[in-house]
Every structure is written in structure tokens, then in C-alpha cells.
Amino acid sequence: MDFVRMPIGHWMNVLVDWMVDNLAPLFRGIRQVIGTLLNATEDFLQWLPWPVLLVLVALLMWRVAGWRGAVLSALGLYLVGSMELWDRAMTTLALMVSSVTLAVLIGVPLGILCAKSDRVLAVVRPMLDMMQTMPAFVYLVPALMFFGIGKVPAVFATLVFATPPSVRLTNLGIRQVPREVVEASQSFGATPWQMLVKVQLPLAMPSIMAGINQTIMLSLSMSVLSAMIAAGGLGQEVLRGLSQVNLGRSFEGGLAIVVIAMILDRMSQSWGRRKRRAA
Amino acid sequence: MRPKVRIEHLYKLFGPNPKAALEKLQREGLSKDELLRRYRHTVGLRDVSFEVNEGEVFVVMGLSGSGKSTLVRCINRLIEPTAGRIEVDGEDLTAMSAARLRDVRRKKMAMVFQSFALLPHRSVLDNVAFGLELQGMTVDERRDRARQVIKAVGLGGWEDSLPEQLSGGMQQRVGLARALAIDPDILLMDEPFSALDPLIRRDMQNELLRLQSEMKKTIIFITHDLDEAIKLGDRIAVMKDGEIRQIGTAEEILRRPADEYVAEFVQDIDPARVLTAQQIMFQPDTVVPLHAGPRTAVHVMRHHGLSSVFVLEDADRVAGIVTVDDAVQAAERDLPLRDVLRQDFPRVAPDTPLADLIPIAAQARFPIAVVEGERLLGIIVRVTVLSSLMREPVRLAAQGDSAAAASGEDGRGGAGNARR
């Protein structure tokens, strides 16, 4: 008894081919938007003299995580520069900033929709599960077909992988607002918009921030994969090291990624915590 | 007078198709369990009707699952009723557009919640100003108003604190202030004190009574606590399984429970704690004016079979009490009534609890005068006190005991129904 062969892979190919053929203007538009955002961010970061960024980051860390965090982050950033990885780090950072910005812009509103409607949630949730569990290599291919090689498909792939936590935790945060608090604002005559802005979002903020934190971490974890489609950045160092069997080079690239990850993690986490304290 | 709130035949069914289930419920007269078993719908409210008058505290009492919370949420349509009318000032809420309903919620009614339901990220001041903010009032205006209300509920000085820095009782004061800030006609209070410690709860009940004596709002108050219902309610509705079993004053419900459920509910209540002098006294009909002579006094006492009678001056001020023996002697010696008046009768305030009246009644030789200042409001005799302790009013036979006979003759022995 043999299995009946289902040509799912074939269907997928047909679908993607059709999209490439027919939706080209759409992809061009997306490429334009992402590209503009990305280039502006990268140009700015590359233009910024490194001591300025280092001091800025140290000051921010001092505010959210105390003087130890400030000193450690300054040392870490200096280390990145002294490994001659500053430019690559800025490329990675620009990819990150663009991806995270877009992920939050898409994820939070989508999370709000999910919280407001069980039907939307029922459709969106399995999609999120798939986006997160499907190995990233799989959607690297259509990303290449839609956007060519370079940074834009990298941002696209990062979005697919990193947006789900923002959606999930926004939805969760809003749904966890106590029922009586929602009823109270209704009973005082809040419009749905007033309810969202004055009650639900502020109360959900710790959860939303936790989601954004996860989005940041996941985007960073995509940086090596992005380098495979010529997005450049620190991931490229890691890949070069691999191909040259040069552990030292890979390690330096990896270390720089860790430094950025730690700084961003501490910042976004303590922002969430501060919001929670205020809440 | 038109009632402030009128609820007519209100139904709420929970389930996939409540309208159809309602038809079956009405046509087949199913019980709550049958409806659940056969049509998979839960009964929240079943044919609830009542009226609440302006300035009245109307308490809805029931155990959990009785539908009382559903009821209060239907009144401002946090829950949509399945059928029935909700009239506020003659306007049907169930037929209102969303915009009109929002307007009513913003200006006419406000709600206080069991869990306080404050906004944790806002200061006390901005929590209290919340309703005004939704109305679109400017920051300065609404904060001014909020400050006044915060002071009125005794939270002056806490304006800038966050709710989590306050005790439960104080948080509920914020909840109350938030509701009062919009100056609503109607307050909906959903078990507002149930989450508080007993001592704090009592404070808050007294606070509410104090505020209510000044504001005269129309209050619909939900509770599962019979003591609270009796203390606060002008009238009480007892609910079970989504139906109202009885509506009446505390006294009516205690003395004449409508059915076994209500009877069981109230059986543990000690009437001595619930009833006050005002509720058990009877009206001072049998009195003698001071300007009348002793002969009139004797006549009145003989006619009513009394051994003493209160003498009034200026229509309702107590001048004293006169016994039949003294009056007879005065008549023989032609003395005015004033010369034989006695002052050694007990006086109590109208809100004296029955528990405190018992020892007084046990020792007193004369009936107890219920007075407000010098004004005689009513009279309580020993037998009234005793019979009040019993569940059912006792019809007294004429006895030697002075005024008891009087009350017995016209069937007011129970005295409970002889309110001012």
C-alpha cells in the first residue's frame, strides 16, 4: 500500500511563480518602502561618529539600567570598534532597526485586531504558528524571488520570523485587562477608541513591551541568515569565518552580535519594567 | 410621581440563540434546568420587573448565580437584555442608539464595581476625573471638580497617589468618587463593599449613608449580604435563579417572607439588630393635649383601657405622662393636668436599635416615648418590644398592662406596620 502523492510542493511553486509574475508592482512597492527606510537608517548610523553613538547608548543605559549597565555597554561597543567591525555592526543595527520598526508597526495593530475579534484571532493564530515554526530557510527562497538579493529580502524574512511575538503579546496584554476595568470605562461612556487609547493600551503596555523585546531578539538572531542572501553586516563576518574555516573571524562577528543583543535586550526590557512600575 | 427607573419584564438568556430560547421558555414555561438541558441556554434574568423611585436606595440581594450582577449590567446595557424594557426618566434604554446610550452613561448613571476597577496607571485624581475626561471636559476643569469630590469622600491629600498605594477601602472611595464626579442621577453599585474587611465595610456603608443623606441619588445597590441590604436599603428585592422572589422594605421581608426561599434566607437575621425604635413604635394617637382637664385624661384612659397616657403641648411636644390614679385625684381636687404630670418615663431616639430597647422596656413602668428633640414621634410598650422579636406579628389580647391594651385593641400589637 503506497501513499498517494500530494503535489503540495508543486502547488507552492505554482503559487509563488504566479505571484512573481502577477504581483511584481506590489513587490516593487514594498521593496521601495523597505529600501528607503533601510537606507536612511543605515546612512544615518554610518554617518554618526562612533564616540557619539557610544556616549548616547551609555547615557540611555545609565538611565534604564544604572551605571554598571552604562559602563559595560560602552566597553562592549568599544570592543566592537576595536575588532574593526563598527561598519558591519552599523549595517546589522540598521537592518534591525528597520525590521523591528516594521514588525511593531504591523504587529501591534494586528494584535489589537486579534484582541478585539475572536474571528480575526482564529485566522491569525495558525499563521503566526507557521511563521515561527517553519524553518527560516524555507521562506528565504520566495523572499529572494520576490525581492532579489540584498537587504530588502533580509528585512522581509526577518519580519516573517520576528513579528509574531508582537502580535501575540499585544493580543494577550489587551485580553488580560480585567473585565471590570473594561466595563467601568464602558459604563462611563467610553467610545471604542477612548477605551483602546486610555485603558487597554496603557494596561497592556508591559505585555506589549515584552513582545517587542522578543521581536528585537528574534530579528537579531536572523542576522546570520540574512547574510546568506547578501544583506551584509556582522552575519557576513560569521559566514566568511565559516567558509574560510577561520574560527577567530566567526567568533569576533558572533561576539559583536552578542554585544548588540545584550544592549538592546537590557534597554527594551527595562523600558517594559519601567512602564510596569508606573502602571 | 413617575419612578426614576422602571424595569419591565426583563429577560436575559445566555446561549447561541437567546430569542428562540426565550420563546420556548415563555411558551412552555420551562424551568431553568429544563431550558439548559433541552435548549442549551442559561437563564440570567427571568421576567424581572420593578420600579425605583427618585432618591431611593433599592437593594438587589441574592447569592452568586442569582442574576443580580446580570441585572445591574442590563440596566446600563453593559449586558444586552434579551427582552423587556428599561426606562430611565421615561426613556427606553433598550431602544437607544449607541450614541444616545453613551450620552446617558456619561451623564446620567455611574457604576461602582466590586473589584474597584480603577486604572492602575493613573493617579487618584485622574481616576476620579476619568468620567469627566470621557465627556470631553478640559484638564483643569475636570481636575478641579475631581479634587472637590475626592475631598467629599474623605481622600483629600491622596490625589497624586496611585491606586496600588491605597488600601481596599480607600480604593473603593476612589471608585465612589469617580462615579460621583459626573454627578449622575443614578448610581449602580455592584457589590461595592464585598471585597472589603468587615470593619472597613461597615465604615463604607456608613459613609455611603452619610453621602446619600446629602446627595439623594437614586441608588441601585447589589449585594449578597442581607445585613448590608437591611442597613442600606429603603427597599430590597430578593433574587434567586434570575427571578425576583420578593420586593419590600427590610421589615416586610423579615416579617412576611414571600416564600420558603426568602424565609430561609432571612431566618438567621436577629431582629433585635435590624429593627429600630422607629420601625416598631406605633403612632401616638391616644394622647391628651395639655390644655385639656384631668377629666378628659381619665375619660381617654378609661375609653382605651389604659393606665397612663402621654400629655402633649403645642400638638406634638411631650409635656409628660399622667397615670389614671393621678388624673382621678386631680379631677377630685380640681387641679390642672400640669400639676400631676410625671417625667420619669423613658425616651429614646427613633434610630435606637431594638436590642437597646429590651433592657429599657424591661425596667420601665411606663411606655417608651420615641422622641426627636421634644417632638413625640411614637410610643413603644413592653409587649411591642417582645412581639417584635418574633418573626410573625402577634395579635395581642387586651391586658391589664396600660398601653398594650390600646395597641391590642386596634390590632397594632405588631407595631411593625404602624410606621410614622
Side-chain angles (χ1 to χ4, degrees), chain B residues 207-223:
Chain B
E207 180 81 4
L208 182 67
L209 287 174
R210 183 184 68 78
L211 287 166
Q212 173 64 358
S213 69
E214 294 163 10
M215 340 178 273
K216 302 269 187 280
K217 301 280 181 203
T218 304
I219 300 180
I220 297 175
F221 190 106
I222 309 295
T223 184

Side-chain angles (χ1 to χ4, degrees), chain A residues 221-235:
Chain A
S221 74
M222 283 291 283
S223 56
V224 175
L225 217 59
S226 302
M228 295 180 78
I229 48 176
L234 293 169

Side-chain angles (χ1 to χ4, degrees), chain B residues 141-417:
Chain B
E141 243 182 308
R142 67 184 189 234
R143 287 194 170 159
D144 276 353
R145 167 91 186 119
R147 277 195 193 91
Q148 290 168 21
V149 186
I150 288 170
K151 221 164 266 144
V153 300
L155 278 182
W158 293 91
E159 288 85 352
D160 297 325
S161 309
L162 288 173
E164 62 176 11
Q165 296 168 305
L166 270 50
S167 69
M170 290 162 83
Q171 290 191 35
Q172 194 56 299
R173 279 171 201 259
V174 178
L176 189 58
R178 175 175 64 182
L180 293 178
I182 65 167
D183 195 22
D185 294 354
I186 301 163
L187 272 181
L188 304 174
M189 307 186 77
D190 182 23
E191 301 212 38
F193 308 145
S194 299
L196 305 175
D197 297 337
L199 283 179
I200 309 284
R201 192 181 312 158
R202 208 165 57 200
D203 281 353
M204 291 298 289
Q205 290 164 352
N206 293 337
E207 180 81 4
L208 182 67
L209 287 174
R210 183 184 68 78
L211 287 166
Q212 173 64 358
S213 69
E214 294 163 10
M215 340 178 273
K216 302 269 187 280
K217 301 280 181 203
T218 304
I219 300 180
I220 297 175
F221 190 106
I222 309 295
T223 184
H224 63 257
D225 179 355
L226 186 58
D227 285 321
E228 188 166 74
I230 289 165
K231 180 166 179 180
L232 300 176
D234 292 323
R235 283 188 303 145
I236 300 170
V238 183
M239 283 191 80
K240 183 175 191 281
D241 292 343
E243 289 176 286
I244 289 189
R245 293 300 186 89
Q246 185 171 11
I247 298 182
T249 63
E251 218 179 317
E252 285 164 3
I253 285 174
L254 285 182
R255 288 173 171 275
R256 284 181 294 280
D259 58 22
E260 263 178 47
Y261 176 75
V262 180
E264 208 173 308
F265 211 100
V266 301
Q267 70 177 359
D268 292 331
I269 286 293
D270 176 4
R273 279 190 307 132
V274 174
L275 297 175
T276 60
Q278 186 165 246
Q279 288 164 337
I280 63 167
M281 71 190 186
F282 53 87
Q283 281 173 310
D285 296 334
T286 322
V287 290
V288 180
L290 184 59
H291 56 73
R295 270 171 242 283
T296 316
V298 174
H299 174 77
V300 167
M301 283 185 268
R302 289 247 165 88
H303 182 75
H304 290 286
L306 305 174
S307 62
S308 62
V309 69
F310 282 104
V311 178
L312 297 189
E313 201 175 358
D314 304 338
D316 61 0
R317 286 182 45 234
V318 204
I321 196 167
V322 64
T323 64
V324 70
D325 296 343
D326 288 351
V328 167
Q329 281 187 19
E332 281 167 2
R333 288 193 246 147
D334 238 7
L335 292 170
L337 212 41
R338 188 183 291 279
D339 290 1
V340 289
L341 286 185
R342 315 177 60 130
Q343 298 298 334
D344 53 345
F345 59 91
R347 298 160 189 249
V348 297
D351 56 358
T352 311
L354 182 54
D356 295 351
L357 291 174
I358 296 169
I360 298 173
Q363 287 168 12
R365 296 170 47 217
F366 299 115
I368 300 169
V370 182
V371 292
E372 196 166 45
E374 282 296 302
R375 233 160 55 82
L376 183 68
L377 301 177
I379 300 169
I380 298 170
V381 297
R382 191 179 302 166
V383 183
T384 321
V385 172
L386 292 177
S387 70
S388 300
L389 289 169
M390 287 179 251
R391 194 57 64 185
E392 287 297 317
V394 178
R395 232 189 125 77
L396 297 170
Q399 289 175 7
D401 190 320
S402 57
S407 58
E409 270 169 9
D410 50 18
R412 290 184 313 203
N417 46 2

Side-chain angles (χ1 to χ4, degrees), chain A residues 143-268:
Chain A
L144 279 172
M145 294 173 73
F146 295 154
F147 302 111
I149 59 165
K151 289 173 182 158
V152 173
V155 169
F156 176 82
T158 307
L159 275 182
V160 173
F161 188 59
T163 307
S166 284
V167 184
R168 278 187 217 279
L169 283 155
T170 301
N171 167 57
L172 183 73
I174 290 178
R175 282 176 187 264
Q176 276 177 342
V177 172
R179 197 177 71 114
E180 285 209 327
V181 174
V182 172
E183 285 184 333
S185 31
Q186 278 175 336
S187 75
F188 283 97
T191 60
W193 177 253
Q194 285 176 322
M195 166 103 79
L196 182 68
V197 173
K198 293 176 193 291
V199 180
Q200 291 175 314
L201 284 182
L203 265 68
M205 202 40 90
S207 174
I208 295 176
M209 285 313 299
I212 294 178
N213 173 263
Q214 283 190 28
T215 291
I216 293 174
M217 294 298 107
L218 288 182
S219 342
L220 204 52
S221 74
M222 283 291 283
S223 56
V224 175
L225 217 59
S226 302
M228 295 180 78
I229 48 176
L234 293 169
Q236 199 176 347
E237 276 306 292
V238 177
L239 284 183
R240 291 251 168 90
L242 272 176
S243 61
Q244 298 165 1
V245 202
N246 181 344
L247 172 67
R249 192 168 183 182
S250 280
F251 183 76
E252 283 187 352
L255 194 61
I257 291 177
V258 169
V259 168
I260 294 180
M262 277 167 57
I263 292 173
L264 289 175
D265 182 50
R266 288 297 291 275
M267 272 187 190
S268 56

